[in-house]
Amino acid sequence: MSVLSSLSPTRAPSAWRGPDVDWMRECLVQFDSDDIAEIRQALDYLGTHRPPKTLPLAQAEFPLNRVADKLGAVARQLHAGKGFAMLRGLPRDQFDADQMAQIYFGLSIYLGIPMSQSHRGELLGHVLNLSGYGDVARAYQNGGEMNMHTDSCDIIGLMCLRTARSGGASRISSALAIHDALAQSRPDLLARLYAGFTFMRGEKDAQLGDGRRTSVSPIPVYTRLQDWPQQVACYFLGSYIRNAAKAGHARLSDADLDAVKAIEIMAESPEYYLDMQFQDGDIQFLNNRVILHGRTHYEDSPEIENRRHLLRMWLRAPSWPTLPSEQIMHSDSDHALWLRRRNAALELPNAYIDSLRATANAAA
């Protein structure tokens, strides 16, 4: 493929700008009373066919019919539509936190295959401010706002167990809208993003994975994919790029910095971003190849059990075209090695909160 064709706009359905999207009309999936009844039946089925306090690892363990059809529509929206969806209507007050986690996991496995998310091996992660209570595995476990980025999976899912006192909206931007704008106005910067950068990840992710701290070769922020309705895939973590340069593994020219800053500035611009405020029980799914995500600042509670708490999943979509190896930071070997360290009991919210309290009490 020529450089010229690589830099052409995608004009894909997911190349949207925030002010132009009415997400509650176009991307909101509402559960009705019949859906909730079926989900409740699936939860009961799980309870009779699996040990207590475990997550469903196969669709057969969480059988769905009408809800599966709705999830099929979500899958199509992620793959070939706007690239995101919000599921709303789960009655949070009717299920405890562990049941919500089981439901979330059971719905998610209809969209993809769960992946380990960090050196801790978790298939179900906790997005929770751990200040004063535990070690932080990734930046999402710090409080406050988060910069726009993508993750190392095909689909990222978030379920809201508890909202913050105020703030904490999910902020998303279309990586393809930014791509298309740069193709028109700054093809020089877009070319630099296609050329790629050295990425450096966290020390423990490397140490407890395949040992690599930096990418084998420059990782392209954008790359073209064949048989992919969105045409282009994005992988962007500005901190990984800057950390590699700071540690002396790469040099960033002025043009490099301009290209990285261009994505960050555009993704955080009201011209591009869309803020989605969670309600308790909401589930958001994003196509991680085309959507950048972060969060706005929020005010939280001091007590760990009252803090903003989201559950997170990374999913692999096996029917999607495979990403080129040069655009993958965390390898299959990493995920397999991390998975060996999985503590499934602590993926359930009640046990996780209890463990954080015990750690804090022991340190007091």
Side-chain angles (χ1 to χ4, degrees), residues 7 12 26 47-48 58 96 109 254 264 267 293 304:
L7 300 184
E26 300 176 68
T48 60
D96 68 24
I109 57 178
D254 289 343
E264 294 171 333
H293 67 276
I304 192 69

Side-chain angles (χ1 to χ4, degrees), residues 102-223:
Q102 291 172 311
I103 291 169
Y104 172 44
F105 208 94
L107 298 176
S108 297
I109 57 178
Y110 280 81
L111 296 178
I113 300 170
M115 301 170 62
S116 57
Q117 301 176 32
S118 77
H119 62 270
R120 292 177 177 167
E122 71 275 28
L123 295 182
L124 186 66
H126 299 273
V127 180
L128 180 69
N129 178 8
L130 296 184
S131 175
Y133 282 90
D135 294 330
V136 172
R138 292 268 177 80
Y140 62 84
Q141 291 179 323
N142 289 315
E145 64 183 329
M146 276 193 73
N147 295 330
M148 303 293 273
H149 62 285
T150 64
D151 285 330
S152 300
C153 56
D154 292 330
I155 298 168
I156 179 171
L158 292 168
M159 168 185 264
C160 181
L161 287 181
R162 186 180 304 105
T163 57
R165 281 181 170 177
S166 63
S170 171
R171 175 162 290 177
I172 63 174
S173 291
S174 166
L176 298 196
I178 294 170
H179 172 283
D180 289 1
L182 291 174
Q184 298 284 0
S185 64
R186 291 299 304 271
D188 57 320
L189 298 184
L190 185 57
R192 187 65 201 87
L193 294 167
Y194 268 90
F197 305 92
T198 299
F199 282 45
M200 186 174 82
R201 59 183 173 175
E203 182 177 354
K204 286 189 176 180
D205 282 346
Q207 177 187 350
L208 299 173
D210 65 11
R212 291 180 304 105
R213 190 75 192 278
T214 62
S215 54
V216 175
S217 58
I219 292 180
V221 172
Y222 288 113
T223 190

Side-chain angles (χ1 to χ4, degrees), residues 273-345:
Y273 73 67
L274 173 67
D275 283 352
M276 305 173 72
Q277 189 64 56
F278 283 112
Q279 298 177 10
D280 289 357
D282 282 353
I283 303 173
Q284 180 195 62
F285 289 110
L286 306 175
N287 178 334
N288 191 66
R289 297 184 182 186
V290 299
I291 303 294
L292 297 154
H293 67 276
R295 68 172 176 238
T296 65
H297 181 72
Y298 65 93
E299 298 295 330
D300 222 345
S301 299
E303 307 86 7
I304 192 69
E305 65 272 15
N306 293 327
R307 291 183 182 179
R308 178 182 187 268
H309 191 170
L310 275 62
L311 302 178
R312 187 177 88 154
M313 289 188 69
W314 279 5
L315 301 170
R316 176 180 289 114
S319 64
W320 292 8
T322 304
L323 291 173
S325 59
E326 62 268 20
Q327 205 183 27
I328 296 173
M329 179 69 214
H330 304 305
S331 67
D332 288 344
S333 177
D334 287 317
H335 290 289
L337 290 167
W338 293 345
L339 191 57
R340 295 178 185 177
R341 299 173 54 82
R342 180 189 179 212
N343 185 337

Side-chain angles (χ1 to χ4, degrees), residues 57-131:
L57 297 178
Q59 294 178 14
E61 296 174 356
F62 202 83
L64 299 169
N65 291 306
R66 60 179 286 124
V67 175
D69 290 339
K70 287 191 173 182
L71 291 170
V74 170
R76 292 188 291 275
Q77 175 78 291
L78 297 177
H79 180 244
K82 283 189 163 54
F84 71 95
M86 182 80 88
L87 281 59
R88 178 164 288 173
L90 278 175
R92 177 68 181 87
D93 59 339
Q94 295 181 23
F95 301 102
D96 68 24
D98 288 351
Q99 290 175 319
M100 291 294 286
Q102 291 172 311
I103 291 169
Y104 172 44
F105 208 94
L107 298 176
S108 297
I109 57 178
Y110 280 81
L111 296 178
I113 300 170
M115 301 170 62
S116 57
Q117 301 176 32
S118 77
H119 62 270
R120 292 177 177 167
E122 71 275 28
L123 295 182
L124 186 66
H126 299 273
V127 180
L128 180 69
N129 178 8
L130 296 184
S131 175

